[in-house]
Structures are given as structure tokens and as C-alpha cells.
Amino acid sequence: RRERTLQVQIIRFAGSRRMVLSRDISKLQRLENMRRDFVANVSHEMRTPLTVVGGFLETLTESLDDFSREDVLRFLSLASEQSSRMQHLIEDLLALSALETGAPAALEEAVDAQELMHAVHRETELLSAGRHTVSLKLEGDGTLRGSPKELHSAFSNLASNAVRYTPEGGHIELGWRQDAEGGEYWVKDDGIGIEPEHIPRLTERFYRVDRGRSRETGGTGLGLAIVKHVLTRHQAELHVTSESGKGSRFAMRFPLSRISQEA
Ligand code: ADP
């Protein structure tokens, strides 16, 4: 419908507005390309685990007697891994779509910054299961105005990435800090790091530096897209600094308007 409106406008304003309108149309074209890429990506991501599960089931149905009990159990556990991968993907897709359509009214609750920090710290320790040292740094307390659920999901996404992209024995630091300009949550790791050319694209849906590694560790390629959405809804920004082979720092910066100082 928008395209038709644009065409009508083109006729009406032929001449002076032509430049502006053609820019609008190329933006529409870009959006259409993005939509098409997105559908292709989702289909691809779903097809891979489905093919694996389907293949196992077919093999077992056709020649169950050829396999030992151990083989069968191994197949089943691989199939179950693939099915939870699909489940994660669907959960992330639903989360993204809820963020795109979610009512702004849900963004006005009081969120205790330190409490959130402690919750994510506990989760991160569980996820790391002793493979990393996870430390906490709290510089000032404060209350954020927002959606507790969304902020929690954004922060845990960053923390779980740190676990997944930091080899065993590494160190992960979670922090909260407040100053005159606003508040900041950060996650710092001494993991694999990111080459500078990838950084601007990390929040694109399904963008991964290393597809294999992301999949192996249970990634969907949607985590940072979710983070970006949550932050935009809270007028906050994502700041990434990273050095390949040295580690990364992901920070979510909230403006003062989203913070109220507790007495
Ligand atoms: P994924 O599910 O693949 O982790 P994300 O959207 O969360 O998807 O992240 C996108 C990509 O950014 C990842 O595939 C990975 O290449 C890179 N990345 C994210 N966090 C880190 C980190 N802490 N260290 C190194 N690379 C990271």
C-alpha cells in the first residue's frame, strides 16, 4: 500500500520531490531485501536440525536391529540436542517479535539495578559451571525505569555470550556503574574477541563471526539483535569494544531519564 501512495506522490510532485521519493523507494527496497533474507535465514536455521532429526528417525525405523542400544541412545541424544536448538530458535524469534510489537506501557516499572546484577551473576556462574571466574563490580546503586523482563533478558544475553566465547579458565566481569550521564551495565571477558570489521554488524539478525562456533555452543544468532531492540526501547545504547584474541567488553548505557537515584 505504501508503494502505491509513493507512486501517487511521485505523479503529484513530479520534479522537485523526485530525489526525496526515489530515496524512499530504495529504502523500501532495502526493507524488502531484509525481509527476504530474514525468511531465508530462518528457513535455513530450521532445516538443518530438522534434517538431522529426520535422518536419525528414518535410519532407526528402517534398521533398528542393526544398532546396539548404545548407538540408539547416542542417536536419540543427538536428536534431542537438535530439537532443543530449534526450540531456542523459536523462543528467540518470538522474543524478537514481541519486542517489535510490545506496548511501551510495559517499560515503566522500577528495576533495582543491583538486584538485576546479582540475579544475572548467579545465572552466569551456573552457566559457566566452574569453567570461568565470574566477578561482580558494583559502583553505586540506582533504579532503572523499564521492563524488568526485557532488561534481564538483554543482560543475560550479553553474559551468556561471554561464557560461550571465552575458553575455559577465562575471566568474566559483570558490572554496574552510575555517573552524571546515566547508568551502565557491562560484561567484560578475556575470551576470543572480535575483529574490528565485524563489530558494526553484530546486532544484525543471524550475523555471526564464526557460524560453527556459535552453533556448537547453542547460539541462535539472534541474541544481540534482541539486546539491540530492548535497548532502543529503553533509549539506551550498546557499546562494544573488542580485540581479537584478547577479549571483549559489551556495555549497555542508559540515559539519566531512565534512572532514579534511590535514597
Ligand atoms: P550467537 O547466538 O551466535 O551468539 P549473538 O547475536 O548473541 O548470536 O552474537 C552474534 C555474534 O557476535 C556471535 O556469533 C559471535 O561471533 C559474536 N560475539 C558475541 N558476543 C561475543 C563475545 N563476548 N566474544 C566474542 N564474540 C562474541
Side-chain angles (χ1 to χ4, degrees):
R1 202 180 305 135
R2 231 197 117 190
E3 239 157 354
R4 195 176 318 139
T5 327
L6 280 171
Q7 273 163 9
V8 172
Q9 282 185 338
I10 287 178
I11 296 164
R12 218 187 284 159
F13 298 108
S16 63
R17 301 279 306 265
R18 195 175 289 151
M19 280 266 287
V20 181
L21 291 170
S22 67
R23 218 186 299 144
D24 252 18
I25 287 172
S26 71
K27 191 177 161 203
L28 273 182
Q29 188 64 51
R30 239 190 355 260
L31 286 175
E32 176 54 21
N33 289 347
M34 271 169 67
R35 191 195 62 80
R36 218 176 290 147
D37 284 354
F38 180 65
V39 173
N41 275 321
V42 171
S43 316
H44 180 76
E45 294 294 327
M46 298 287 284
R47 193 175 56 186
T48 316
L50 266 176
T51 310
V52 176
V53 173
F56 284 153
L57 292 178
E58 203 178 310
T59 313
L60 290 177
T61 313
E62 276 170 10
S63 35
L64 183 63
D65 293 340
D66 296 349
F67 297 102
S68 67
R69 191 186 146 79
E70 284 69 42
D71 283 342
V72 174
L73 283 176
R74 198 163 44 85
F75 278 169
L76 291 177
S77 109
L78 286 171
S80 135
E81 227 171 72
Q82 295 299 322
S83 108
S84 44
R85 217 182 99 189
M86 275 187 287
Q87 209 172 330
H88 284 148
L89 178 65
I90 289 170
E91 274 159 16
D92 278 359
L93 285 169
L94 287 173
L96 261 183
S97 124
L99 284 171
E100 276 163 357
T101 53
L107 303 173
E108 301 299 327
E109 279 178 60
V111 182
D112 182 317
Q114 295 212 12
E115 225 170 79
L116 178 58
M117 201 64 255
H118 284 294
V120 176
H121 180 239
R122 279 192 301 273
E123 283 169 25
T124 312
E125 284 198 311
L126 278 176
L127 193 67
S128 152
R131 284 170 294 143
H132 312 90
T133 348
V134 188
S135 62
L136 248 190
K137 215 167 181 179
L138 289 168
E139 295 170 15
D141 44 49
T143 307
L144 281 168
R145 200 164 44 80
S147 153
K149 198 170 143 222
E150 289 182 20
L151 293 174
H152 188 148
S153 119
F155 195 24
S156 0
N157 255 307
L158 297 185
S160 75
N161 278 351
V163 170
R164 293 171 38 236
Y165 298 106
T166 303
E168 197 164 343
H171 179 235
I172 295 165
E173 180 186 279
L174 307 180
W176 162 257
R177 163 168 89 89
Q178 206 190 315
D179 57 30
E181 272 132 52
E184 176 180 83
Y185 273 116
W186 75 86
V187 179
K188 209 171 122 202
D189 65 57
D190 55 6
I192 63 172
I194 306 160
E195 298 278 359
E197 69 267 26
H198 296 288
I199 294 180
R201 302 197 56 191
L202 294 179
T203 58
E204 287 175 25
R205 297 158 174 189
F206 297 114
Y207 189 85
R208 290 135 150 166
V209 176
D210 177 347
R211 196 165 280 271
R213 181 168 186 130
S214 155
R215 286 225 179 102
E216 255 169 50
T217 56
T220 59
L222 294 174
L224 292 179
I226 292 176
V227 172
K228 172 85 186 295
H229 260 82
V230 170
L231 294 187
T232 308
R233 278 161 64 80
H234 288 81
Q235 295 83 45
E237 285 173 355
L238 179 67
H239 291 260
V240 185
T241 42
S242 186
E243 203 179 326
S244 185
K246 290 249 167 81
S248 316
R249 184 180 190 275
F250 284 77
M252 312 195 275
R253 285 195 200 152
F254 295 85
L256 267 187
S257 57
R258 280 274 163 200
I259 293 167
S260 56
Q261 187 73 52
E262 292 228 303

